[in-house]
Amino acid sequence: MNDKLPKSAGGWGAILYSLKLSRKAGVTGILRSLLSKNSCKSCALGMGGQKGGLVNEKGHFPAVCNKSFQAQASDMQGAIDSRFFAENDLDGLRSWTPRQLERSGRLVQPLYAAEGASHYQPISWDEALQKIEARIRSTPPEQSFFYFSGRSSNEAGFLLQLFARMYGTNNVNNCSYYCHQASGVGLTQSLGTGTATINLEDLDHTDLIFLWGANPPSNHPRFMHILMEIRRRGGRVIVVNPARERGLENFAVPSDFRSLLFGSEIASTFIQPHIGGDIALGKGIAKSLFELAERNSQILESDFITANTEHFEAYQYQIQQTSWQDIESESGVPRSDIEDIAQQYASAKNVVFAWAMGLTHHAHGVGNVQSLVNLALLRGMVGRRHAGLLPLRGHSNVQGIGSVGVTPQLKKAFFDNLESYYKIRLPTGKGMDTLACMESANKGEIDFAWNLGGNLYGSNPDAMFAQKALRKIGFVLYMNTTLNQGHFRGMGKETLILPVLARDEEPQATTQESMFNFVRMSDGGHARHSGPMSEVNIISAIAHRIFPEGPIPWQELGKTSNIRKVISGVIPGFESMQSIDETRKEFHISGRILHEPQFATSNGKARFTVCDSPDLKSNSSRSFKLMTVRSEGQFNTVVYEEFDKYRGIESRDVVLMNAEDIQRLGFRENDRVRVQNDVGAMGNLKLLAYPIKSGNIMMYYPESNVLVPRQIDEQSRTPSFKSVDVEVMKEG
């Protein structure tokens, strides 16, 4: 077993690492930036805004973590040297790692590569805008797509999707199609709303939380303070994860002195199902509840089920017809363990189900999410205070980007309001999601792609396919603060990179939305470098060039307060944005938090869903289920550090496997192995023992995307990054 696993995650190591970053970026500067009235740039748990930096919506201080420091330190880097692109050709830069590119510095001038070029060439802003205008004018709208990162503001997202639709396309999509789209689809089908049903304050009263398919020590570190508090007041934390992550066992919360000194036990119960065994596990919990209810009818909320739900009988029948043998085999969890957590659930008063991409990154991701909704409905743990459902969103504004219309098809009320507001006609075509756009590009059907932030190449399954598809696009436009692999492996025939300002450098206020449906306002600040431009100003300028006359005053929409006025008038739930510039009062989006059993479905009732378990059978003794994972020193595709200190792993070229599987295959730890499937192969990887469920392995994302097939959940169109069939072979 990996003998470098820490006894506890977080703690002094996290503090020392933050201090190291502060010294490198400048202690005074990084603290001033973190304390400014700007929302956090990392995960969607959210902090900052008008209540002050390092403050969450409850007013708690300090709300900060390593991710905040990493994101801030990256934006505070010096400018990329003017000789960099002359000294480094494109072929050479394609071999650089994500970390090397991220640490190259800030982008400060537009960069252009013509078809067949060997280097990026710096060009002026005027020349860059001329090239974009010429390409857009010459490209039929159906031969374009627009892709948005979750780091951009609501204002930039709204403005660009509006331009895309006025241009004539609904090929408008965002990074959530590759992360939490299954959550949105599953929740909407079951409850009529696609986001969290609780607010942050509800978690103060939780006495049991299911943390399912998530690893917040590495991805949402400030959530660990919430879990610590639940345990301190006598509550329980049931962790469901194929890998026994050390940070989920014991975590030293840096902002809490007692936890910092002694660590905090997090998981009260740790359940390790097979990768893909979540639906079966959910069935097992439900089956146990039905059996308990035979002795105590109050365990199920029968009145709630009768008055506020539908399809209960079909769901109950499926559970009753499912054998315990099948449940144990498909989930990988013994009946006794399932009955234990069902009993814990039955005795709890206020229960929250929280999950991340361990549930959504499957070909049955929507079913996974709806399995948790079913469990919540059985005991009436949705539609009331202090209990509910919480998808742990990734990027800081990924939820907001979706809210402001970055989706192929707008909701009817939004669509109708927008047409009425400007007296315009919007395209009504279906539009393509993210993967569909990539597949269309591979067919040679896309001539222009506009990427507002992010790393589309690194986010895609089947990395070789992604590179090939992007290369067939006539003109690829990127807007970023720093370099990433997409700028070199995701180039089109022509490629243009525009340098943009970071959130806390924006000349005007912008807004962002947390995973709790809370809209914050960021004040912006002074630019650290001359050269980068505001995203909103870039979009406004290009839109005005294309449509100098017409019903939409694009130049006026270069002012973010004017965009907010439009948002407040056309998007249901955002009415409070009308006055936010005057009041600076941040708000929860209305109609989303379900503190009453009032569901926005066609008949006002929540829906039980019959979910079928996937077939998890392996082909051979060397076959494994692979789940791709992030490290502690990483955020999405951005790699800040090669060392993963919460797992005690020094590099990213590793395969993490159960010790018994290593022995069964006749391997030894530190052997070099090859992982392969029909999609691709990775060789010369170090084999390390790790406490993961037997029959399953883990590897780091995005490097392992070469193995991820374009297998998707048909309902959400989300790829199965966490359920990949592979074989492991010894090298040599």
Side-chain angles (χ1 to χ4, degrees):
M1 187 63 64
N2 182 2
D3 58 5
K4 294 183 179 179
L5 277 173
K7 293 182 179 179
S8 177
W12 292 108
I15 291 175
L16 292 173
Y17 177 74
S18 296
L19 290 174
K20 175 185 174 182
L21 287 177
S22 298
R23 286 196 300 270
K24 185 176 294 186
V27 176
T28 302
I30 201 167
L31 288 178
R32 183 185 299 116
S33 296
L34 288 171
L35 289 167
S36 66
K37 291 184 177 181
N38 290 289
S39 66
C40 178
K41 302 171 185 175
S42 55
C43 82
L45 188 60
M47 69 168 191
Q50 296 307 294
K51 293 187 178 181
L54 312 189
V55 179
N56 64 22
E57 54 256 52
K58 293 195 305 178
H60 173 77
F61 175 92
V64 67
C65 68
N66 274 358
K67 294 287 183 249
S68 308
F69 277 89
Q70 288 169 337
Q72 195 62 54
S74 177
D75 285 339
M76 293 179 69
Q77 292 183 93
I80 295 177
D81 190 277
S82 59
R83 298 167 296 178
F84 180 89
F85 292 101
E87 296 173 352
N88 294 281
D89 64 16
L90 299 175
D91 285 340
L93 288 167
R94 288 188 186 103
S95 68
W96 283 36
T97 66
R99 180 176 182 270
Q100 287 175 310
L101 292 170
E102 173 69 20
R103 289 202 165 190
S104 297
R106 284 288 299 275
L107 289 161
V108 295
Q109 54 189 336
L111 300 166
Y112 174 71
E115 186 171 4
S118 60
H119 293 71
Y120 272 115
Q121 299 290 333
I123 62 174
S124 69
W125 272 103
D126 188 59
E127 186 178 358
L129 296 180
Q130 287 178 12
K131 288 183 180 294
I132 297 168
E133 179 185 0
R135 175 60 67 164
I136 291 175
R137 289 190 180 280
S138 66
T139 302
E142 65 273 11
Q143 294 178 21
S144 68
F145 73 75
F146 294 74
Y147 173 80
F148 299 62
S149 161
R151 189 171 179 176
S152 295
S153 67
N154 290 326
E155 291 76 14
F158 179 85
L159 189 62
L160 185 55
Q161 68 85 27
L162 177 60
F163 169 75
R165 298 186 204 282
M166 292 303 295
Y167 170 47
T169 183
N170 280 335
N171 296 336
V172 174
N173 52 79
N174 67 68
C175 55
S176 72
Y177 277 94
Y178 287 167
C179 57
H180 262 293
Q181 185 69 8
S183 297
V185 173
L187 289 171
T188 299
Q189 289 180 359
S190 296
L191 305 176
T193 181
T195 61
T197 68
I198 63 171
N199 59 27
L200 185 58
E201 288 83 356
D202 285 322
L203 290 165
D204 291 339
H205 305 274
T206 301
D207 61 338
L208 170 62
I209 185 168
F210 281 89
L211 185 66
W212 207 305
N215 186 26
S218 291
N219 301 308
H220 305 86
R222 287 188 297 105
F223 197 69
M224 301 308 293
H225 191 281
I226 293 170
L227 299 178
M228 175 196 72
E229 291 289 352
I230 291 173
R231 291 302 311 276
R232 278 189 180 174
R233 59 176 178 264
R236 297 167 180 161
V237 176
I238 297 177
V239 174
V240 181
N241 196 315
R244 200 172 181 96
E245 301 283 16
R246 183 53 51 88
L248 294 175
E249 295 179 307
N250 195 289
F251 192 87
V253 177
S255 61
D256 183 272
F257 190 65
R258 176 158 49 118
S259 179
L260 181 62
L261 289 179
F262 305 108
S264 298
E265 187 180 79
I266 300 301
S268 52
T269 302
F270 210 119
I271 300 295
Q272 291 182 265
H274 288 307
I275 292 173
D278 307 287
I279 291 176
L281 178 56
K283 289 179 182 178
I285 297 172
K287 193 173 185 70
S288 294
L289 291 174
F290 284 129
E291 292 174 354
L292 289 170
E294 291 176 1
R295 300 189 295 274
N296 179 4
S297 62
Q298 293 184 345
I299 283 175
L300 301 182
E301 290 291 329
S302 300
D303 291 343
F304 171 86
I305 292 170
T306 300
N308 301 296
T309 73
E310 61 180 351
H311 307 318
F312 170 73
E313 291 78 10
Y315 172 69
Q316 183 181 34
Y317 179 78
Q318 185 205 37
I319 300 302
Q320 291 172 339
Q321 294 302 305
T322 305
S323 70
W324 273 111
Q325 181 180 354
D326 286 345
I327 288 170
E328 289 183 299
S329 173
E330 293 169 1
S331 69
V333 181
R335 176 177 178 176
S336 58
D337 289 349
I338 297 174
E339 289 177 332
D340 173 62
I341 58 177
Q343 181 62 61
Q344 292 185 53
Y345 180 31
S347 62
K349 294 181 179 180
N350 299 315
V351 182
V352 168
F353 291 84
W355 69 93
M357 288 178 285
L359 279 193
T360 62
H361 274 172
H362 297 266
H364 49 276
V366 169
N368 282 343
V369 171
Q370 291 177 328
S371 291
L372 299 196
V373 177
N374 290 338
L375 292 177
L377 293 177
L378 282 175
R379 297 207 57 237
M381 293 296 174
V382 63
R384 69 176 182 82
R385 292 184 180 276
H386 309 152
L389 298 148
L390 176 62
L392 296 170
R393 303 277 181 174
H395 224 318
S396 57
N397 197 40
V398 63
Q399 190 163 300
I401 287 292
S403 293
V404 298
V406 181
T407 180
Q409 289 185 299
L410 298 175
K411 293 181 179 178
K412 186 178 186 307
F414 187 166
F415 181 92
D416 292 344
N417 291 344
L418 188 54
E419 282 199 329
S420 175
Y421 191 95
Y422 280 120
K423 305 298 187 293
I424 55 177
R425 301 292 293 175
L426 297 173
T428 57
K430 182 178 179 181
M432 293 189 291
D433 59 75
T434 308
L435 184 57
C437 287
M438 293 295 293
E439 290 171 336
S440 183
N442 191 52
K443 296 174 185 175
E445 298 171 347
I446 300 296
D447 200 46
F448 175 74
W450 188 332
N451 296 268
L452 181 62
N455 176 4
L456 180 56
Y457 160 79
S459 301
N460 262 277
D462 193 350
M464 295 303 294
F465 159 81
Q467 180 168 313
K468 183 176 68 171
L470 289 165
R471 282 181 175 176
K472 293 180 181 179
I473 298 175
F475 190 102
V476 177
L477 168 62
Y478 291 108
M479 293 170 60
N480 293 96
T481 56
T482 56
L483 290 173
N484 63 58
Q485 286 185 314
H487 297 140
F488 307 100
R489 298 187 184 183
M491 299 180 70
K493 295 176 182 177
E494 293 180 76
T495 308
L496 177 64
I497 305 172
L498 299 182
V500 298
L501 296 170
R503 181 174 301 163
D504 59 340
E505 299 172 333
E506 286 280 355
Q508 307 175 73
T510 60
T511 59
Q512 295 77 35
E513 179 188 336
S514 80
M515 68 173 73
F516 294 101
N517 307 294
F518 187 74
V519 175
R520 289 183 172 82
M521 173 173 273
S522 296
D523 283 353
H526 298 292
R528 297 181 176 91
H529 303 283
S530 61
M533 284 182 61
S534 161
E535 292 175 337
V536 166
N537 291 153
I538 294 170
I539 299 164
S540 172
I542 293 170
H544 180 68
R545 282 171 175 258
I546 302 299
F547 303 113
E549 297 179 359
I552 300 178
W554 298 106
Q555 285 184 309
E556 292 181 20
L557 293 180
K559 189 174 181 181
T560 59
S561 60
N562 289 337
I563 300 175
R564 287 189 283 276
K565 292 290 194 299
V566 181
I567 290 174
S568 71
V570 302
I571 306 180
F574 277 78
E575 293 80 7
S576 294
M577 196 173 273
Q578 172 74 24
S579 59
I580 196 171
D581 284 279
E582 292 75 32
T583 65
R584 313 306 266 194
K585 185 178 180 180
E586 298 162 321
F587 62 93
H588 282 97
I589 299 168
S590 62
R592 292 189 181 176
I593 297 171
L594 301 180
H595 282 163
E596 300 291 337
Q598 298 169 354
F599 304 105
T601 55
S602 58
N603 61 0
K605 292 189 175 185
R607 296 167 181 148
F608 282 93
T609 307
V610 173
C611 304
D612 295 324
S613 301
D615 183 3
L616 302 178
K617 293 183 178 65
S618 61
N619 299 321
S620 72
S621 62
R622 297 184 182 277
S623 296
F624 290 85
K625 285 287 185 185
L626 160 68
M627 65 175 181
T628 66
V629 296
R630 275 79 162 170
S631 69
E632 190 280 330
Q634 176 179 1
F635 192 74
N636 293 345
T637 61
V638 179
V639 178
Y640 297 112
E641 303 291 347
E642 300 285 340
F643 177 56
D644 187 353
K645 64 175 178 284
Y646 290 178
R647 296 188 178 110
I649 297 171
E650 295 181 354
S651 64
R652 298 175 62 84
D653 57 341
V654 297
V655 177
L656 306 183
M657 181 184 289
N658 184 285
E660 293 180 1
D661 287 334
I662 293 176
Q663 184 177 17
R664 173 176 60 82
L665 293 174
F667 296 166
R668 291 185 298 179
E669 193 168 13
N670 296 316
D671 277 352
R672 290 287 168 173
V673 298
R674 177 181 179 85
V675 181
Q676 61 188 32
N677 60 12
D678 293 340
V679 180
M682 295 181 70
N684 197 32
L685 302 169
K686 182 187 289 188
L687 185 64
L688 295 178
Y690 201 76
I692 186 173
K693 183 78 172 180
S694 179
N696 306 277
I697 62 173
M698 299 196 313
M699 295 171 63
Y700 286 116
Y701 163 103
E703 294 88 341
S704 56
N705 282 356
V706 297
L707 299 164
V708 179
R710 281 173 281 140
Q711 176 188 19
I712 58 170
D713 175 84
E714 290 296 337
Q715 296 188 77
S716 67
R717 302 280 299 172
T718 300
S720 56
F721 290 99
K722 290 198 174 350
S723 186
V724 180
D725 290 315
V726 297
E727 287 193 339
V728 181
M729 316 291 290
K730 190 172 182 178
E731 291 272 35

